[in-house]
Amino acid sequence: MSPITGDHLGRLARLAEADRHNMFEDHPRLGVFRSRVLLTALCQGAALHFVDGENGVKDLDVYTFYAQHPTVNFPHRRRKMVDFGKSDLGRHPDDDPRFRGRHVDLMGRVIDVPPSADPIEAVRDYLRRGPTTTSRKLAEKAVVVLDPSPLRGQVVWPTPRPDVADLN
């Protein structure tokens, strides 16, 4: 139940960046997505834990959201599991015994927007519309920005609720 900190978010962003680099090196045809990264986010239960401090953390789900490419499809079933490493977040008893810390699931999804789209609004719209099973599942919990770094820690989902005073 340790809090997820800015340092944890930075570490997750670096893991996702390294994974993207390796993916683009191993699969050159996917290189077109290098310039189409909208944002990378911590999602699901760990993101909800970051937001409310109460939800338990089983693993760390990280998604990179890309702008759609007109001719190249992104492998939506791609999932890379990596070790977060030793930290105060501990490790889940069901994780690979070779892991020193929580396991991180690194995944990607394409959103039907241009690369120039506002990344937060693009992801919020994707979650609101719920066009896929993944978008509906992600919308059940929370989404927190990891990268780009100036937005790190911003809660994308759930969307902030207006104060009653704002409604008057």
PDB file of all heavy atoms in Angstrom, residues 47 50-51 120 124 142-145 151 153-160:
ATOM      1  N   ALA A  47      -2.879   2.886 -11.349  1.00  0.00           N
ATOM      2  CA  ALA A  47      -3.220   4.294 -11.571  1.00  0.00           C
ATOM      3  C   ALA A  47      -4.275   4.736 -10.558  1.00  0.00           C
ATOM      4  O   ALA A  47      -4.207   5.845 -10.019  1.00  0.00           O
ATOM      5  CB  ALA A  47      -3.708   4.500 -12.999  1.00  0.00           C
ATOM      6  N   PHE A  50      -2.600   5.425  -7.395  1.00  0.00           N
ATOM      7  CA  PHE A  50      -1.952   6.735  -7.437  1.00  0.00           C
ATOM      8  C   PHE A  50      -2.963   7.836  -7.125  1.00  0.00           C
ATOM      9  O   PHE A  50      -2.660   8.784  -6.418  1.00  0.00           O
ATOM     10  CB  PHE A  50      -1.320   6.968  -8.818  1.00  0.00           C
ATOM     11  CG  PHE A  50      -0.682   8.316  -8.974  1.00  0.00           C
ATOM     12  CD1 PHE A  50       0.608   8.547  -8.509  1.00  0.00           C
ATOM     13  CD2 PHE A  50      -1.363   9.363  -9.581  1.00  0.00           C
ATOM     14  CE1 PHE A  50       1.203   9.800  -8.651  1.00  0.00           C
ATOM     15  CE2 PHE A  50      -0.788  10.612  -9.729  1.00  0.00           C
ATOM     16  CZ  PHE A  50       0.503  10.834  -9.258  1.00  0.00           C
ATOM     17  N   VAL A  51      -4.181   7.679  -7.648  1.00  0.00           N
ATOM     18  CA  VAL A  51      -5.227   8.696  -7.487  1.00  0.00           C
ATOM     19  C   VAL A  51      -5.830   8.672  -6.081  1.00  0.00           C
ATOM     20  O   VAL A  51      -5.968   9.713  -5.448  1.00  0.00           O
ATOM     21  CB  VAL A  51      -6.342   8.505  -8.548  1.00  0.00           C
ATOM     22  CG1 VAL A  51      -7.542   9.409  -8.266  1.00  0.00           C
ATOM     23  CG2 VAL A  51      -5.798   8.755  -9.946  1.00  0.00           C
ATOM     24  N   ILE A 120      -4.087  14.381 -24.201  1.00  0.00           N
ATOM     25  CA  ILE A 120      -4.993  14.088 -23.089  1.00  0.00           C
ATOM     26  C   ILE A 120      -6.425  14.005 -23.580  1.00  0.00           C
ATOM     27  O   ILE A 120      -7.160  13.079 -23.236  1.00  0.00           O
ATOM     28  CB  ILE A 120      -4.809  15.109 -21.951  1.00  0.00           C
ATOM     29  CG1 ILE A 120      -3.441  14.866 -21.321  1.00  0.00           C
ATOM     30  CG2 ILE A 120      -5.937  15.001 -20.930  1.00  0.00           C
ATOM     31  CD1 ILE A 120      -3.089  15.695 -20.150  1.00  0.00           C
ATOM     32  N   ARG A 124      -8.880  10.781 -23.434  1.00  0.00           N
ATOM     33  CA  ARG A 124     -10.174  10.912 -22.748  1.00  0.00           C
ATOM     34  C   ARG A 124     -11.325  10.553 -23.687  1.00  0.00           C
ATOM     35  O   ARG A 124     -12.264   9.863 -23.287  1.00  0.00           O
ATOM     36  CB  ARG A 124     -10.363  12.327 -22.215  1.00  0.00           C
ATOM     37  CG  ARG A 124      -9.608  12.583 -20.941  1.00  0.00           C
ATOM     38  CD  ARG A 124      -9.826  13.980 -20.425  1.00  0.00           C
ATOM     39  NE  ARG A 124      -9.111  14.149 -19.165  1.00  0.00           N
ATOM     40  CZ  ARG A 124      -8.790  15.315 -18.646  1.00  0.00           C
ATOM     41  NH1 ARG A 124      -9.131  16.443 -19.264  1.00  0.00           N
ATOM     42  NH2 ARG A 124      -8.137  15.383 -17.508  1.00  0.00           N
ATOM     43  N   ALA A 142      -8.403   4.032 -13.686  1.00  0.00           N
ATOM     44  CA  ALA A 142      -7.781   5.357 -13.823  1.00  0.00           C
ATOM     45  C   ALA A 142      -6.659   5.308 -14.852  1.00  0.00           C
ATOM     46  O   ALA A 142      -6.148   4.236 -15.191  1.00  0.00           O
ATOM     47  CB  ALA A 142      -7.238   5.835 -12.474  1.00  0.00           C
ATOM     48  N   VAL A 143      -6.293   6.496 -15.327  1.00  0.00           N
ATOM     49  CA  VAL A 143      -5.201   6.668 -16.283  1.00  0.00           C
ATOM     50  C   VAL A 143      -4.413   7.897 -15.850  1.00  0.00           C
ATOM     51  O   VAL A 143      -4.992   8.974 -15.668  1.00  0.00           O
ATOM     52  CB  VAL A 143      -5.741   6.847 -17.726  1.00  0.00           C
ATOM     53  CG1 VAL A 143      -4.605   7.121 -18.702  1.00  0.00           C
ATOM     54  CG2 VAL A 143      -6.539   5.618 -18.160  1.00  0.00           C
ATOM     55  N   VAL A 144      -3.082   7.727 -15.677  1.00  0.00           N
ATOM     56  CA  VAL A 144      -2.215   8.801 -15.196  1.00  0.00           C
ATOM     57  C   VAL A 144      -1.026   8.926 -16.153  1.00  0.00           C
ATOM     58  O   VAL A 144      -0.373   7.931 -16.465  1.00  0.00           O
ATOM     59  CB  VAL A 144      -1.701   8.501 -13.763  1.00  0.00           C
ATOM     60  CG1 VAL A 144      -0.712   9.556 -13.294  1.00  0.00           C
ATOM     61  CG2 VAL A 144      -2.871   8.375 -12.793  1.00  0.00           C
ATOM     62  N   VAL A 145      -0.728  10.150 -16.579  1.00  0.00           N
ATOM     63  CA  VAL A 145       0.344  10.377 -17.552  1.00  0.00           C
ATOM     64  C   VAL A 145       1.721  10.064 -16.976  1.00  0.00           C
ATOM     65  O   VAL A 145       2.057  10.489 -15.875  1.00  0.00           O
ATOM     66  CB  VAL A 145       0.343  11.842 -18.061  1.00  0.00           C
ATOM     67  CG1 VAL A 145       1.512  12.085 -19.030  1.00  0.00           C
ATOM     68  CG2 VAL A 145      -0.972  12.202 -18.718  1.00  0.00           C
ATOM     69  N   LEU A 151       3.818  16.562 -18.467  1.00  0.00           N
ATOM     70  CA  LEU A 151       2.463  16.203 -18.038  1.00  0.00           C
ATOM     71  C   LEU A 151       2.458  15.083 -16.990  1.00  0.00           C
ATOM     72  O   LEU A 151       1.395  14.692 -16.520  1.00  0.00           O
ATOM     73  CB  LEU A 151       1.630  15.757 -19.245  1.00  0.00           C
ATOM     74  CG  LEU A 151       1.467  16.759 -20.377  1.00  0.00           C
ATOM     75  CD1 LEU A 151       0.702  16.138 -21.541  1.00  0.00           C
ATOM     76  CD2 LEU A 151       0.786  18.030 -19.886  1.00  0.00           C
ATOM     77  N   GLY A 153       2.149  12.669 -14.090  1.00  0.00           N
ATOM     78  CA  GLY A 153       1.356  12.734 -12.864  1.00  0.00           C
ATOM     79  C   GLY A 153      -0.033  13.310 -13.071  1.00  0.00           C
ATOM     80  O   GLY A 153      -0.868  13.239 -12.172  1.00  0.00           O
ATOM     81  N   GLN A 154      -0.297  13.868 -14.259  1.00  0.00           N
ATOM     82  CA  GLN A 154      -1.632  14.415 -14.516  1.00  0.00           C
ATOM     83  C   GLN A 154      -2.620  13.266 -14.675  1.00  0.00           C
ATOM     84  O   GLN A 154      -2.354  12.284 -15.355  1.00  0.00           O
ATOM     85  CB  GLN A 154      -1.635  15.279 -15.777  1.00  0.00           C
ATOM     86  CG  GLN A 154      -2.970  15.932 -16.008  1.00  0.00           C
ATOM     87  CD  GLN A 154      -2.934  16.986 -17.095  1.00  0.00           C
ATOM     88  OE1 GLN A 154      -1.885  17.525 -17.421  1.00  0.00           O
ATOM     89  NE2 GLN A 154      -4.084  17.280 -17.664  1.00  0.00           N
ATOM     90  N   VAL A 155      -3.755  13.403 -14.022  1.00  0.00           N
ATOM     91  CA  VAL A 155      -4.797  12.383 -14.102  1.00  0.00           C
ATOM     92  C   VAL A 155      -5.620  12.644 -15.363  1.00  0.00           C
ATOM     93  O   VAL A 155      -6.262  13.689 -15.484  1.00  0.00           O
ATOM     94  CB  VAL A 155      -5.690  12.388 -12.844  1.00  0.00           C
ATOM     95  CG1 VAL A 155      -6.808  11.361 -12.972  1.00  0.00           C
ATOM     96  CG2 VAL A 155      -4.850  12.119 -11.599  1.00  0.00           C
ATOM     97  N   VAL A 156      -5.574  11.686 -16.282  1.00  0.00           N
ATOM     98  CA  VAL A 156      -6.340  11.770 -17.512  1.00  0.00           C
ATOM     99  C   VAL A 156      -7.756  11.263 -17.266  1.00  0.00           C
ATOM    100  O   VAL A 156      -8.726  11.797 -17.761  1.00  0.00           O
ATOM    101  CB  VAL A 156      -5.672  10.922 -18.622  1.00  0.00           C
ATOM    102  CG1 VAL A 156      -6.524  10.838 -19.874  1.00  0.00           C
ATOM    103  CG2 VAL A 156      -4.279  11.449 -18.940  1.00  0.00           C
ATOM    104  N   TRP A 157      -7.838  10.209 -16.460  1.00  0.00           N
ATOM    105  CA  TRP A 157      -9.118   9.555 -16.183  1.00  0.00           C
ATOM    106  C   TRP A 157      -9.092   9.028 -14.773  1.00  0.00           C
ATOM    107  O   TRP A 157      -8.064   8.484 -14.370  1.00  0.00           O
ATOM    108  CB  TRP A 157      -9.303   8.406 -17.174  1.00  0.00           C
ATOM    109  CG  TRP A 157     -10.694   7.879 -17.222  1.00  0.00           C
ATOM    110  CD1 TRP A 157     -11.177   6.812 -16.510  1.00  0.00           C
ATOM    111  CD2 TRP A 157     -11.772   8.374 -17.997  1.00  0.00           C
ATOM    112  NE1 TRP A 157     -12.485   6.618 -16.812  1.00  0.00           N
ATOM    113  CE2 TRP A 157     -12.886   7.568 -17.732  1.00  0.00           C
ATOM    114  CE3 TRP A 157     -11.915   9.430 -18.888  1.00  0.00           C
ATOM    115  CZ2 TRP A 157     -14.108   7.774 -18.317  1.00  0.00           C
ATOM    116  CZ3 TRP A 157     -13.130   9.634 -19.481  1.00  0.00           C
ATOM    117  CH2 TRP A 157     -14.209   8.808 -19.197  1.00  0.00           C
ATOM    118  N   PRO A 158     -10.109   9.173 -13.982  1.00  0.00           N
ATOM    119  CA  PRO A 158     -11.375   9.786 -14.336  1.00  0.00           C
ATOM    120  C   PRO A 158     -11.205  11.292 -14.512  1.00  0.00           C
ATOM    121  O   PRO A 158     -10.312  11.897 -13.918  1.00  0.00           O
ATOM    122  CB  PRO A 158     -12.293   9.457 -13.168  1.00  0.00           C
ATOM    123  CG  PRO A 158     -11.385   9.178 -12.013  1.00  0.00           C
ATOM    124  CD  PRO A 158     -10.098   8.687 -12.603  1.00  0.00           C
ATOM    125  N   THR A 159     -12.077  11.877 -15.323  1.00  0.00           N
ATOM    126  CA  THR A 159     -11.985  13.307 -15.570  1.00  0.00           C
ATOM    127  C   THR A 159     -12.381  14.049 -14.310  1.00  0.00           C
ATOM    128  O   THR A 159     -13.230  13.586 -13.542  1.00  0.00           O
ATOM    129  CB  THR A 159     -12.876  13.735 -16.745  1.00  0.00           C
ATOM    130  OG1 THR A 159     -14.211  13.336 -16.476  1.00  0.00           O
ATOM    131  CG2 THR A 159     -12.403  13.127 -18.041  1.00  0.00           C
ATOM    132  N   PRO A 160     -11.748  15.190 -14.090  1.00  0.00           N
ATOM    133  CA  PRO A 160     -12.090  15.966 -12.887  1.00  0.00           C
ATOM    134  C   PRO A 160     -13.558  16.386 -12.923  1.00  0.00           C
ATOM    135  O   PRO A 160     -14.089  16.718 -13.973  1.00  0.00           O
ATOM    136  CB  PRO A 160     -11.179  17.186 -12.974  1.00  0.00           C
ATOM    137  CG  PRO A 160     -10.189  16.901 -14.037  1.00  0.00           C
ATOM    138  CD  PRO A 160     -10.738  15.816 -14.903  1.00  0.00           C
TER     139      PRO A 160
END
